[in-house]
Amino acid sequence: MAEEAKKLTTEEVVVSDVCVTETPTTAVVEKEAPPHPEPEAEKVDKPAAEEVVDGEKEATTVEDEKIAESGSFKEESNKVDDLIDPQKKALDEFKQLIQEALNRHEFTAPPPPPPAKEEEEKKPEEKKEEEKKTDEKKEESKPVEKKEEESKPEEEKEETCEEAPVEVPPPVEPIKEEKHAPPPAAEPQVSVVEKIQEKIDALEEIKETIVHEVTAPAPLPPVTEECPPAPEVEEKTPPPEEVKIWGIPLLEDEKSDVILLKFLRARDFKVKEAFSMLKNVIAWRKDFKIDELLEEGGIGEGLEKFAYLHGVDREGHPVCYNAFGEFQDKELYNKTFADGQKRAKFLKWRIQFLEKSIRNLDFKPDGICTIVQVNDLKNSPGLILFKKELRQATNQALQLLQDNYPEFVAKQVFINVPWWYVAYNRMISPFFTARTKSKFVFAGPTKTAETLLKYIAPEQVPVQYGGLSREGEQEFTIADPATEATIKPAAKYTVELPITEGCTLVWEARVVGWDVSYGAEFVPSAEGGYTWIIQKSRKIGPADEPISSCSFKIGEPGKVVLTFDNQTSKRKKLLYRSKTKPSD
């Protein structure tokens, strides 16, 4: 029976071990499977977002649906009065922690000493060296004791020497013989006694000096009128340190509150975590030498086409475009990512570019405090051909932005997304929080212009992305607003531009994707007037000039009529604008 019981216990142990090993493997699979590990409660609360992903494939996967849900983020107010009570309380606690840290100079203080764990983890060789040092110190402390021990036998000898002249009879016998001269041995006996006495006196002086040095310190001099006591020095508490971040003091006015709210929102209004993040950001900025980096020049030579600011969105946020297809240029790629030193330089340029962009924000509670990022993936390498150096630099940049620039992105728009966009999203997801990922919007090649025009006005969108903004001297600028219209399938659409007096009329029009017939004519207001054909109707394809511009000088009132004939089965987006100039 005992043997059977032992077998049963061993079998139970084996089974429990198997269960334990299965648990971590399933956890790993669950972490890797979903691209957005968001709880179901959050999905229910979020309003349904519009589908912005390209519909080239009819079958939509679950991953596609999850990515399509990411366009529902709405930026919160930065006004303190608009905050709910728990958020106001968190902001007050946060400011109190910062004030205490400023009073103690914690932001500029040197790093604390290493923890005690490091001493426990020292190598045995280091421990042996420390033990040797302690032994040497002990040996150095022994000479004082030895001196005292050595003095003891001498004292004993002296005591015996003092008793010897009394007990020994030879000095007495020569005194009895008065007739004879004293023996020569008497003189040396007397000299020996005197020498012994001198040694005793010397030893007593040594004892006194040893005891004096070991036990009692020198007494302080008495306080007299000639020697008054030293005045007590009053310790003055230093004033609180001044710390600025992005050019704004931590605690000053409403702009400071806007900065602090960014850290609180990045940590879900958990005060201690937000305070820890703030301290880490300030320390990182000091180590990275941000202030010096702002003044440094010649870092990003050749990268002007990769990242640039252009216009604003419909809410006034600056728009930053990142064109990854520029790195198809092998020379630029090798110049930027060939080795670790060049990647570090690219990272410095990326941070410098972002810092300069942030300095243009006003940080007012009712102002613009965030940026819209547009990431163009056209001609970027696919998942299999994705280059290692570019991936390393991108991941490192994403991590730095996530850790040190909280809540500075109003929206992340990915355009011209290729077939592997799901894999790309899964790759970058670990670097962002759920809140940050809720700002993502994805659009395939055929939906790029439509998606951008949803968030950005057409006069602000670059021409290569479906807008009207062009480089160089043009009749129209970003300040000239454009009108948007929709042309239905298999239908005509006309635009009338009125003219009240003699002038020169200038206009430009664009149909996204074209494949539409377009013509223009002038119709005078006077009865019996002749209609002028300004531009004969012709079909314009996607390969033609994207923007059709024209000017017409007329000396009588009337109107210019633009006609667009859409014979396709798809809706078309029409963009146009016009203005008049006095005739010469």
Side-chain angles (χ1 to χ4, degrees), residues 31-37 63 67 324 375 377 380-399 402 414 418 420-433 437 440 442:
K31 288 182 180 178
E32 294 179 353
H36 295 291
E63 293 173 345
I67 291 174
F324 288 90
N375 304 287
L377 304 183
S380 58
L383 181 63
I384 299 175
L385 301 176
F386 203 85
K387 297 183 179 180
K388 178 182 177 182
E389 298 83 5
L390 178 59
R391 184 177 69 249
Q392 289 177 348
T394 303
N395 291 345
Q396 191 176 3
L398 290 175
Q399 189 64 55
Q402 175 75 0
F414 293 85
W420 49 268
Y421 76 95
V422 176
Y424 180 83
N425 179 62
R426 185 181 296 175
M427 181 185 67
I428 66 175
S429 290
F431 296 97
F432 294 100
T433 62
K437 286 185 286 188
F440 288 178
F442 291 83

Side-chain angles (χ1 to χ4, degrees), residues 189-252:
Q189 287 180 357
V190 175
S191 61
V192 169
V193 173
E194 292 176 354
K195 289 180 180 179
I196 291 172
Q197 187 63 34
E198 291 176 357
K199 289 183 180 181
I200 292 170
D201 296 337
L203 288 172
E204 288 178 356
E205 291 178 1
I206 292 170
K207 284 183 182 180
E208 291 177 359
T209 54
I210 291 171
V211 172
H212 177 69
E213 291 177 358
V214 173
T215 58
L220 295 173
V223 178
T224 60
E225 295 181 358
E226 298 178 355
C227 183
E232 295 182 359
V233 179
E234 295 182 1
E235 295 182 359
K236 294 182 180 180
T237 56
E241 60 182 339
E242 295 182 2
V243 178
K244 290 184 178 181
I245 184 168
W246 298 298
I248 298 174
L250 287 181
L251 296 177
E252 188 176 62

Side-chain angles (χ1 to χ4, degrees), residues 348-364:
K348 287 180 64 178
W349 168 82
R350 195 69 183 88
I351 297 298
Q352 184 193 58
F353 177 81
L354 181 58
E355 283 286 332
K356 290 181 178 180
S357 303
I358 290 174
R359 297 302 172 102
N360 294 327
L361 303 175
D362 54 16
F363 287 108
K364 294 180 180 178

Side-chain angles (χ1 to χ4, degrees), residues 35-264:
H36 295 291
E38 299 178 358
E40 295 181 359
E42 294 181 2
K43 296 178 182 178
V44 174
D45 295 337
K46 290 182 179 180
E50 298 183 6
E51 185 77 19
V52 296
V53 181
D54 186 17
E56 293 179 358
K57 296 182 180 180
E58 295 180 359
T60 58
T61 62
V62 178
E63 293 173 345
D64 296 341
E65 292 176 0
K66 289 183 178 179
I67 291 174
E69 292 175 1
S70 62
S72 60
F73 175 78
K74 185 177 180 181
E75 196 170 6
E76 300 93 338
S77 172
N78 287 316
K79 296 181 180 179
V80 178
D81 294 338
D82 295 340
L83 301 176
I84 59 177
D85 290 339
Q87 294 176 349
K88 291 181 181 178
K89 184 179 179 182
L91 179 60
D92 292 337
E93 293 178 1
F94 193 25
K95 293 167 74 173
Q96 184 178 357
L97 285 178
I98 294 172
Q99 186 61 64
E100 293 174 357
L102 292 173
N103 293 338
R104 293 193 293 263
H105 290 240
E106 291 184 4
F107 292 107
T108 57
K117 292 182 180 180
E118 295 182 0
E119 296 180 359
E120 297 176 359
E121 295 175 356
K122 284 183 179 179
K123 296 179 180 179
E125 296 178 359
E126 296 178 356
K127 291 183 178 180
K128 290 180 181 180
E129 291 180 0
E130 291 181 356
E131 291 176 358
K132 289 180 180 179
K133 291 180 180 178
T134 52
D135 294 339
E136 291 176 358
K137 290 180 179 179
K138 290 180 180 179
E139 291 177 359
E140 291 176 357
S141 60
K142 288 180 180 179
V144 177
E145 299 175 357
K146 287 182 179 180
K147 288 181 180 178
E148 294 178 356
E149 292 175 359
E150 291 175 357
S151 62
K152 290 181 181 179
E154 291 179 358
E155 291 175 2
E156 294 176 358
K157 291 178 183 178
E158 291 169 3
E159 290 176 359
T160 54
C161 293
E162 288 176 357
E163 293 175 357
V166 178
E167 295 177 356
V168 177
V172 181
E173 291 178 356
I175 296 170
K176 292 180 180 180
E177 297 178 358
E178 297 176 355
K179 296 179 180 180
H180 301 283
E187 293 178 2
Q189 287 180 357
V190 175
S191 61
V192 169
V193 173
E194 292 176 354
K195 289 180 180 179
I196 291 172
Q197 187 63 34
E198 291 176 357
K199 289 183 180 181
I200 292 170
D201 296 337
L203 288 172
E204 288 178 356
E205 291 178 1
I206 292 170
K207 284 183 182 180
E208 291 177 359
T209 54
I210 291 171
V211 172
H212 177 69
E213 291 177 358
V214 173
T215 58
L220 295 173
V223 178
T224 60
E225 295 181 358
E226 298 178 355
C227 183
E232 295 182 359
V233 179
E234 295 182 1
E235 295 182 359
K236 294 182 180 180
T237 56
E241 60 182 339
E242 295 182 2
V243 178
K244 290 184 178 181
I245 184 168
W246 298 298
I248 298 174
L250 287 181
L251 296 177
E252 188 176 62
D253 53 15
E254 57 186 11
K255 291 186 177 181
S256 303
D257 292 341
V258 173
I259 295 291
L260 300 185
L261 283 173
K262 290 181 178 294
F263 286 90
L264 286 171

Side-chain angles (χ1 to χ4, degrees), residues 417-480:
V417 177
W419 60 268
W420 49 268
Y421 76 95
V422 176
Y424 180 83
N425 179 62
R426 185 181 296 175
M427 181 185 67
I428 66 175
S429 290
F431 296 97
F432 294 100
T433 62
R435 175 183 171 83
T436 303
K437 286 185 286 188
S438 68
K439 305 175 185 180
F440 288 178
V441 176
F442 291 83
T446 61
K447 296 288 183 179
T448 290
E450 180 182 345
T451 303
L452 287 180
L453 293 172
K454 186 184 299 181
Y455 302 109
I456 308 171
E459 65 271 9
Q460 303 280 348
V461 178
V463 64
Q464 65 267 29
Y465 296 127
L468 298 174
S469 179
R470 289 178 287 180
E471 295 181 357
E473 295 183 2
Q474 304 292 337
E475 290 287 351
F476 297 92
T477 64
I478 289 178
D480 298 318

